[in-house]
Amino acid sequence: LDHLAAAFERYFKTKARKRSLFEDERLSKHLLAEFGAETQLHEITSSRIAGYQEKRLAVTKSRRGGALAAATVNRPLALLRALLRLAARKWEVIAVAPVIELEKEPQGRLRWLTHEEAIRLLNACREQRNPALVDLVELALYTGMRQGELLNLTWGDVDRARGVLLLETTK
């Protein structure tokens, strides 16, 4: 368990019920390629992580003419930080987790579809093979519900007497 690949294996077993596990597995492949699967956990220091972060920002600027979004740089770093904190605090494989400073991310933006955009969207949905799609999208437009919230609705969540949908788990 003292090398990165084994730590990720244990991490995935520990976090088996995590909803974003697929994304973590994808990011882990990138981190394993960058740091090396056989790299000992104690060799992953704050300075080595900062070097990775600087390299990631510099390579992107030269290749695409602009920097990666802060969130794109932060996601693998956040996963690595979670892994190393588990290794230090819970598994006691390393003495202390290195400090990982994430890039500052801008606040999210609010955007609404114009009336014309909503009409075009609903018309495009009507052209699809799934006849329920237009109803689903229309409900999303009226309520602002997310895809997961819509797809997880059951009849138990519908209060027809009051004309209300009950959402237990939302962001």
Side-chain angles (χ1 to χ4, degrees):
L1 179 67
D2 55 351
H3 62 280
L4 190 57
F8 269 123
E9 284 180 31
R10 185 168 181 189
Y11 175 86
F12 294 131
K13 288 178 185 171
T14 303
K15 301 290 184 176
R17 299 183 70 183
K18 186 177 178 189
R19 290 178 69 182
S20 61
L21 192 61
F22 178 78
E23 178 65 9
D24 286 353
E25 289 171 345
R26 186 186 69 77
L27 292 172
S28 72
K29 291 174 186 169
H30 167 75
L31 291 168
L32 288 167
E34 284 292 325
F35 288 94
E38 297 302 316
T39 300
Q40 301 293 306
L41 292 181
H42 70 273
E43 294 173 348
I44 302 175
T45 62
S46 294
S47 62
R48 189 166 174 191
I49 294 165
Y52 157 77
Q53 193 171 10
E54 291 167 12
K55 173 185 158 193
R56 188 115 152 100
L57 291 169
V59 167
T60 306
K61 285 181 182 176
S62 65
R63 191 179 331 144
R64 291 181 33 202
L68 279 178
T72 305
V73 175
N74 285 346
R75 294 307 164 258
L77 291 172
L79 174 61
L80 184 61
R81 180 172 61 183
L83 174 85
L84 293 172
R85 284 180 175 173
L86 266 177
R89 297 176 184 168
K90 211 171 193 179
W91 305 333
E92 298 178 346
V93 176
I94 54 176
V96 64
V99 174
I100 299 177
E101 292 185 14
L102 302 178
E103 296 290 313
K104 184 166 175 48
E105 294 184 28
Q107 287 286 14
R109 64 182 185 145
L110 292 177
R111 186 183 181 301
W112 289 268
L113 293 180
T114 64
H115 182 71
E116 292 78 22
E117 289 172 326
I119 289 171
R120 281 199 327 265
L121 174 62
L122 291 171
N123 287 336
C125 291
R126 284 184 186 95
E127 295 172 5
Q128 302 304 309
R129 286 186 291 181
N130 184 348
L133 181 61
V134 69
D135 294 331
L136 190 68
V137 171
E138 191 169 13
L139 182 60
L141 289 171
Y142 278 110
T143 63
M145 291 171 61
R146 297 169 182 268
Q147 178 182 353
E149 295 166 345
L150 289 164
L151 296 177
N152 288 321
L153 280 175
T154 64
W155 283 112
D157 301 323
V158 179
D159 184 345
R160 294 184 68 146
R162 295 188 314 168
V164 174
L165 293 174
L166 306 170
L167 300 176
E168 297 291 327
T169 310
T170 65
K171 278 191 170 183

